[in-house]
Amino acid sequence: MARFPDNEIISLVSKAPRFDLAESVGPSVRLAELIGMAFGDDADFSLDYGTAAGNPELRQEIASESGVHADDVVVTVGGMHALFLIAFTLCQTGDEAIVAEPVFPLARNALTAVGAVTRPLPLSFDTGYRIDLDELRKLLSPKTKLVSLASPQNPSGVAIPERTLREIVAMLAAHAPDAWLLIDETYREAAYGEDAAAPSAACLGPKVISVSSLSKCHGSAGLRIGWAITRDTALRQALVTAKFSTVISCSPVDEALALAVFRQRERIIGERRKLLAQNLQLVENWVLRHPGHIDWVRPDAGALCCVRLKPGVFDAAAVERFYATLARYSTRVAPGAWFGDDPLVFRLGFGLPTLTALAIALECVSVALTEATRAPEGAAAF
């Protein structure tokens, strides 16, 4: 009966624990920050249908930031809606889609739900979650319709260098000319402090599709506004038709608020980049305090990173004790199994708490690391 497999990551939209380090978002924008700019002083706003392509002014704001034309943009009900429409439009039953894994599971589920055969491109902690171009080349075939990547990646926060993306574009043109390259750029603008955000991949070629949303970098997950960017006119029209056939349009209220977010983007993103930079430094210092328990891969952007419990120190029982101890302290991290990663790996989200709350939460994780590796009572001593 189920077209979409169940996944424990759904718990992130349920009741949160006291310290939620499983989330990958930053602090949310408050409605009061946007309401005046979005609707004016009298908030006299007509609740008509929106357009299938999306509010023209909003599309122009998105396009200007990404270096494309407004007509290249299709506004969707969150980034996940964009990923589904792309899968539904491009992939027929039996077509192959290459997916870099570990991966946010819903991105893969959208492909399997439409009957595509997913072929994993493995990324590993040991190689810093970097793409092996030789391994990607081996996966390409005449059946390849889509190569699905994320930059920065979820769960690692590791970005794909522009040079690598250009090599992938050339590789597809040579070995799988019917394939499209999909880049999920949801975390791209979540740079740290004064670091510059990477340029959008939307301009890398006519068969490159970029997807993003307001959920992560802009603190506006509740607006459910995302977008797909394609410079291919036929694909854009197909996506508009697919959107109209599923949801007709986005909420004009959400689109008006989204436009207000874009018009305050320097303030909104700037505040969150400062928070991310200070919280990332706290996490880095914390990791360095536990060389006998954990390793990590330092992220390039985003409010997330991957931490690995030391192999040889944590067996299966110790991993179980680690998560049980976290639960006792009302603290949560995101297990690697949610994303198809090694059971020793977990995603740590550092963008949501204040600096003080993050420090307390990390101390709870420290206690869990220590208690998990302490020999259980009654265990034989060697």
Side-chain angles (χ1 to χ4, degrees), residues 156 190-193 195 272-287 296-305 348 350-351 355 358 362:
S156 71
Y192 304 131
D195 291 354
R272 280 148 188 79
R273 286 177 176 174
K274 290 178 183 177
L275 174 68
L276 289 178
Q278 66 180 14
N279 283 12
L280 176 64
Q281 186 61 60
L282 181 62
V283 171
E284 185 166 11
N285 294 341
W286 172 78
V287 170
W296 79 322
V297 174
R298 194 181 194 279
D300 297 311
L304 69 176
C305 64
L348 190 149
F350 54 85
L355 189 63
L358 178 61
L362 290 175

Side-chain angles (χ1 to χ4, degrees), residues 62 65-67 151-152 159 183-192 196-202 210-212 216-218 227 229 265 273 300-302:
I62 295 167
E65 195 285 321
S66 301
S151 182
I183 309 293
D184 185 339
E185 299 186 309
T186 300
Y187 297 94
R188 179 178 63 84
E189 291 192 84
Y192 304 131
S200 174
S210 166
V211 167
S212 192
K216 308 299 183 181
C217 306
H218 303 77
W227 55 87
I229 299 175
R265 63 182 301 278
R273 286 177 176 174
D300 297 311

Side-chain angles (χ1 to χ4, degrees), residues 258-332:
L259 187 57
V261 169
F262 265 95
R263 289 173 175 170
Q264 298 184 53
R265 63 182 301 278
E266 288 191 18
R267 175 188 67 80
I268 290 170
I269 292 180
E271 291 172 353
R272 280 148 188 79
R273 286 177 176 174
K274 290 178 183 177
L275 174 68
L276 289 178
Q278 66 180 14
N279 283 12
L280 176 64
Q281 186 61 60
L282 181 62
V283 171
E284 185 166 11
N285 294 341
W286 172 78
V287 170
L288 292 174
R289 285 172 41 209
H290 297 282
H293 290 100
I294 54 176
D295 297 306
W296 79 322
V297 174
R298 194 181 194 279
D300 297 311
L304 69 176
C305 64
C306 280
V307 178
R308 183 172 66 180
L309 303 172
K310 286 269 191 179
V313 176
F314 287 82
D315 57 15
V319 172
E320 187 174 334
R321 289 195 296 273
F322 171 71
Y323 283 104
T325 304
L326 284 179
R328 290 204 311 274
Y329 285 90
S330 193
T331 303
R332 177 170 63 184

Side-chain angles (χ1 to χ4, degrees), residues 14-362:
S14 303
K15 183 179 179 181
R18 182 184 180 193
F19 299 115
D20 195 354
L21 302 182
E23 262 296 1
S24 59
V25 298
S28 296
V29 170
R30 306 292 297 183
L31 181 60
E33 298 177 61
L34 307 176
I35 198 79
M37 181 175 286
F39 305 123
D41 294 336
D42 58 0
D44 184 12
F45 189 83
S46 179
L47 295 178
D48 302 320
Y49 281 115
T51 65
N55 178 293
E57 291 180 277
L58 177 58
R59 287 191 286 113
Q60 183 59 62
E61 292 284 347
I62 295 167
S64 296
E65 195 285 321
S66 301
V68 298
H69 296 293
D71 286 345
D72 299 329
V73 179
V74 180
V75 180
T76 56
V77 186
M80 197 56 240
H81 186 216
L83 292 175
F84 177 78
L85 293 182
I86 291 164
F88 186 81
T89 300
L90 293 180
C91 295
Q92 304 294 321
T93 300
D95 286 341
E96 293 184 356
I98 297 171
V99 181
E101 298 184 5
V103 64
F104 181 61
L106 277 63
R108 181 183 54 238
N109 294 351
L111 291 160
T112 57
V114 300
V117 177
T118 58
R119 303 193 68 188
L121 173 64
L123 310 175
S124 74
F125 186 97
D126 287 326
T127 58
Y129 297 101
R130 300 295 176 185
I131 289 176
D132 186 322
L133 293 177
D134 290 333
E135 290 300 314
L136 174 57
R137 187 179 293 107
K138 292 175 186 176
L139 292 171
L140 295 173
S141 80
K143 290 185 176 181
T144 305
K145 288 297 186 290
L146 191 68
V147 176
S148 178
L149 309 175
S151 182
Q153 299 152 1
N154 183 1
S156 71
V158 173
I160 306 172
E162 183 178 351
R163 178 178 176 180
T164 301
L165 289 174
R166 291 187 181 279
E167 291 183 76
I168 293 172
V169 170
M171 184 188 301
L172 293 187
H175 298 282
D178 291 334
W180 297 78
L181 177 60
L182 169 62
I183 309 293
D184 185 339
E185 299 186 309
T186 300
Y187 297 94
R188 179 178 63 84
E189 291 192 84
Y192 304 131
E194 299 301 319
D195 291 354
S200 174
C203 296
L204 291 181
K207 301 207 75 171
V208 177
I209 312 164
S210 166
V211 167
S212 192
S213 79
L214 293 181
S215 296
K216 308 299 183 181
C217 306
H218 303 77
S220 303
L223 290 184
R224 307 314 306 137
I225 290 291
W227 55 87
I229 299 175
T230 173
R231 298 168 73 190
D232 184 279
T233 303
L235 177 58
R236 177 190 176 275
Q237 185 55 52
L239 292 176
V240 171
T241 301
K243 177 188 171 184
F244 180 76
S245 300
T246 52
V247 299
I248 300 180
S249 70
C250 295
S251 160
V253 176
D254 281 0
E255 289 187 331
L257 290 168
L259 187 57
V261 169
F262 265 95
R263 289 173 175 170
Q264 298 184 53
R265 63 182 301 278
E266 288 191 18
R267 175 188 67 80
I268 290 170
I269 292 180
E271 291 172 353
R272 280 148 188 79
R273 286 177 176 174
K274 290 178 183 177
L275 174 68
L276 289 178
Q278 66 180 14
N279 283 12
L280 176 64
Q281 186 61 60
L282 181 62
V283 171
E284 185 166 11
N285 294 341
W286 172 78
V287 170
L288 292 174
R289 285 172 41 209
H290 297 282
H293 290 100
I294 54 176
D295 297 306
W296 79 322
V297 174
R298 194 181 194 279
D300 297 311
L304 69 176
C305 64
C306 280
V307 178
R308 183 172 66 180
L309 303 172
K310 286 269 191 179
V313 176
F314 287 82
D315 57 15
V319 172
E320 187 174 334
R321 289 195 296 273
F322 171 71
Y323 283 104
T325 304
L326 284 179
R328 290 204 311 274
Y329 285 90
S330 193
T331 303
R332 177 170 63 184
V333 297
W338 285 6
F339 312 94
D341 209 341
D342 187 311
L344 291 173
V345 174
F346 60 87
R347 187 184 77 182
L348 190 149
F350 54 85
L352 187 59
T354 64
L355 189 63
T356 300
L358 178 61
I360 297 170
L362 290 175

